[in-house]
Amino acid sequence: MFRIDSPKTLLFTVLSFSALAGLTGAARVRADSTPVIEITAKRFAFSPEKVTLKKGQTVKLRIHSEDVTHGFFLRPLKLDEEIPAGQTIDVTVTPQEAGTFTTICDHFCGANHGNMNMTIVVE
Ligand SMILES: [Cu+2]
């Protein structure tokens, strides 16, 4: 049975609930504030051509295809996505390694597909 023995116990109980509420509140705010980076895929380029991320900082890549289905492949960041024709996908990534990387379209999209890439810099 739940019983309040003294004002001290009551205070402790109230503080515990406050701390819990505070924690979940903070987590919710953090999830909502993940920076979004917009990228557009269109035969035969990504726009922008280059984005810069921070090592250890979580970002959401929002990739939109303006025409056909494209790929978005970058092994060091464990990215291997497909962006269906005309659609938008969200990919959450936390880069763990600094460097300059080239993302390629790995879904055949036409004659100049082999040159479709963009640069991701992690610093
Ligand atoms: Cu392609």
Side-chain angles (χ1 to χ4, degrees):
M1 196 179 105
F2 187 74
R3 193 165 63 90
I4 304 295
D5 295 318
S6 68
K8 205 170 164 184
T9 308
L10 175 63
L11 181 66
F12 177 76
T13 306
V14 169
L15 285 178
S16 300
F17 278 118
S18 305
L20 201 63
L23 278 177
T24 53
R28 195 169 57 241
V29 167
R30 193 159 53 238
D32 284 349
S33 63
T34 302
V36 174
I37 295 176
E38 311 245 6
I39 297 169
T40 299
K42 188 181 176 183
R43 283 187 291 187
F44 298 96
F46 292 100
S47 173
E49 288 178 354
K50 178 178 158 184
V51 298
T52 301
L53 310 180
K54 285 200 160 44
K55 185 178 163 182
Q57 188 187 80
T58 301
V59 294
K60 201 179 283 183
L61 303 178
R62 182 160 290 159
I63 315 169
H64 172 67
S65 167
E66 279 197 2
D67 44 28
V68 299
T69 299
H70 292 284
F72 196 80
F73 180 69
L74 182 56
R75 195 187 299 277
L77 293 190
K78 298 187 177 68
L79 296 172
D80 187 6
E81 313 302 325
E82 191 171 280
I83 311 120
Q87 293 188 32
T88 302
I89 63 162
D90 275 356
V91 189
T92 301
V93 62
T94 308
Q96 301 296 342
E97 189 187 340
T100 299
F101 308 103
T102 302
T103 305
I104 60 163
C105 170
D106 67 337
H107 185 104
F108 184 78
C109 60
N112 206 17
H113 161 75
N115 293 319
M116 182 166 172
N117 60 60
M118 69 173 286
T119 302
I120 294 185
V121 177
V122 179
E123 57 182 28

